[in-house]
Amino acid sequence: MRIMLICWLVLWPAFVQSKATPLLNLVEIGGERKNQLVGYGLVVGLDGSGDRNQVTFTAQSMSNMLRQFGIQEENQAKTKNVAAVSIHAEISNVTSPGQIIDITVSSVGDAKSLRGGTLLLAPLYGVDGEVYAFAQGNLVVGGASAEGSDGSSVTVNVPTVGRIPGGAVVEKAVPSQPANNGYVNLNLKTPSFNLSRNIEQAITARFGAGVASAYSAGSVRVRAPSDPSQRVNFIAMLEEVKIQEGRVRPRIVLNSRTGTVVMSDTVYVRKAAVTHGNLTVAITENTQISQPNALAEGTTEKVRRSTVNMSEAKPRITVMPEGTSLDKIVKSLNELGATPSDLMSILQALDEAGALDADLIVI
């Protein structure tokens, strides 16, 4: 029996081995939450890539802003260097006035790009209609676009969404409910009965019996001091308690907008055969002149001729053995010539076939 147990431990895949992680990385302290803020503003300084004149609310916003500075404009404001945007941010209920938060800026008109733009001062509202922060700053845009005079264009990623790190200043604290003085609730970021039990056992080993009790797969209740100073010290010590996570299921994150694929190092594949081929259809349009001879009646006409060619790349089959690791997966798919889009399709097909032991997450 002992020999069988040793063999089982040797053959067990590496991804099921537990690891010690600080409690802070696994839970969120009850009573602390994020609150959504939203606002509307103008991004200026765009090099002709802003909203067109057909977007009337952008011109109206520009006119209203200029009136606040004592400028009366007779004609409608030109908006090719200006874009109307929505502003999104998150604020915690423990954030104090004067602190800065990051914001995301998204175009709401028909602007081509926000690259190089500057957000003018704009208020950010909570769900209760109160102003909690003011935003302003220079945008960081990860996308880019270019357009030719003939209408042809090239776009990389999403140039109409940008971020401003530290772009908003908190003006008002979010009201919070008074905490239960006798207990602290630990909400698991990833609910798990196994992890909830391990957290209870680790806290009990550190602070003694009766301090922690696991209520569900997503919550552990901990008895805490009522005095605010002692409570802060206790939670600070609590956050550093090492927890054995147990088995951590691997994940694969797919971002279809940017073509990004991220796999954890514990991803492995059961034995499967993968084939990858490309079908190419080429249509060529030619315009020819049909002209009657000198003795025949008729008119000269343009005749369009279409040539259709279809070709398919010779597929190659790659066999992935049982327990194939991450580096072998990447190497095999690269040998197939798979692009990021192809890689997403292959991984989803492997998951549907039951050959992929990982969670697929699409963002």
Side-chain angles (χ1 to χ4, degrees):
M1 182 67 181
R2 179 168 179 163
I3 297 176
M4 292 179 62
L5 177 60
I6 294 175
C7 294
W8 180 80
L9 291 174
V10 171
L11 295 175
W12 191 253
F15 69 87
V16 301
Q17 295 178 0
S18 61
K19 58 180 180 180
T21 305
L23 180 63
L24 177 64
N25 297 347
L26 304 175
V27 302
E28 293 178 348
I29 306 299
E32 296 183 8
R33 52 160 293 174
K34 299 291 185 180
N35 297 274
Q36 305 296 326
L37 302 180
V38 66
Y40 170 84
L42 294 174
V43 171
V44 299
L46 304 176
D47 188 14
S49 61
D51 294 337
R52 303 299 184 261
N53 291 329
Q54 289 81 359
V55 184
T56 57
F57 57 81
T58 304
Q60 182 181 356
S61 301
M62 276 290 298
S63 299
N64 294 339
M65 182 194 69
L66 293 176
R67 290 193 191 98
Q68 294 179 3
F69 291 99
I71 301 175
Q72 299 294 331
E73 186 184 22
E74 297 181 359
N75 299 324
Q76 188 179 27
K78 305 300 180 182
T79 59
K80 66 178 182 178
N81 294 337
V82 182
V85 296
S86 62
I87 309 164
H88 317 274
E90 286 186 348
I91 182 174
S92 172
N93 62 340
V94 297
T95 303
S96 302
Q99 291 185 263
I100 58 175
I101 56 177
D102 299 340
I103 61 174
T104 301
V105 179
S106 306
S107 172
V108 297
D110 60 356
K112 299 296 182 182
S113 174
L114 299 181
R115 179 178 288 273
T118 299
L119 174 68
L120 297 181
L121 187 66
L124 299 181
Y125 298 87
V127 69
D128 56 358
E130 298 290 331
V131 176
Y132 288 93
F134 284 92
Q136 183 171 272
N138 299 322
L139 271 73
V140 178
V141 180
S145 64
E147 183 175 349
S149 58
D150 61 348
S152 59
S153 62
V154 175
T155 302
V156 179
N157 295 336
V158 183
T160 53
V161 178
R163 286 180 58 83
I164 304 179
V169 180
V170 177
E171 297 293 333
K172 180 181 178 181
V174 177
S176 58
Q177 298 178 351
N180 186 341
N181 292 328
Y183 295 93
V184 171
N185 290 325
L186 306 179
N187 301 319
L188 277 66
K189 296 180 180 179
T190 304
S192 167
F193 285 104
N194 186 30
L195 181 56
S196 180
R197 180 202 60 187
N198 290 349
I199 291 175
E200 177 188 353
Q201 293 177 349
I203 296 176
T204 299
R206 176 68 175 82
F207 297 99
V211 175
S213 21
Y215 266 62
S216 66
S219 177
V220 177
R221 198 176 188 186
V222 180
R223 190 183 301 275
S226 300
D227 181 78
S229 178
Q230 295 181 5
R231 191 183 186 89
V232 170
N233 292 332
F234 173 76
I235 295 178
M237 297 171 60
L238 197 64
E239 291 178 342
E240 297 301 323
V241 174
K242 299 295 183 179
I243 308 297
Q244 296 293 330
E245 291 188 63
R247 175 175 177 175
V248 179
R249 184 167 173 81
R251 293 184 175 184
I252 300 177
V253 181
L254 309 178
N255 190 329
S256 57
R257 293 175 296 175
T258 61
T260 304
V261 180
V262 179
M263 295 185 284
S264 60
D265 61 349
T266 55
V267 174
Y268 91 104
V269 175
R270 298 184 179 90
K271 187 174 183 180
V274 178
T275 179
H276 171 71
N278 291 322
L279 179 65
T280 303
V281 179
I283 302 176
T284 304
E285 300 283 352
N286 294 318
T287 302
Q288 299 179 353
I289 304 298
S290 176
Q291 191 172 25
N293 56 42
L295 301 178
E297 295 182 358
T299 58
T300 301
E301 299 288 345
K302 291 183 178 180
V303 180
R304 304 188 67 178
R305 304 291 184 184
S306 299
T307 303
V308 181
N309 293 320
M310 182 179 298
S311 61
E312 185 174 9
K314 184 178 180 181
R316 291 176 292 174
I317 299 178
T318 299
V319 177
M320 296 184 179
E322 179 78 20
T324 302
S325 58
L326 173 62
D327 55 342
K328 292 182 180 179
I329 294 174
V330 175
K331 182 178 179 180
S332 299
L333 295 179
N334 285 338
E335 289 177 352
L336 288 175
T339 64
S341 298
D342 296 331
L343 180 58
M344 293 181 189
S345 300
I346 293 173
L347 290 174
Q348 292 181 47
L350 286 171
D351 183 56
E352 291 294 330
L356 186 64
D357 193 354
D359 291 331
L360 282 180
I361 300 175
V362 180
I363 61 175

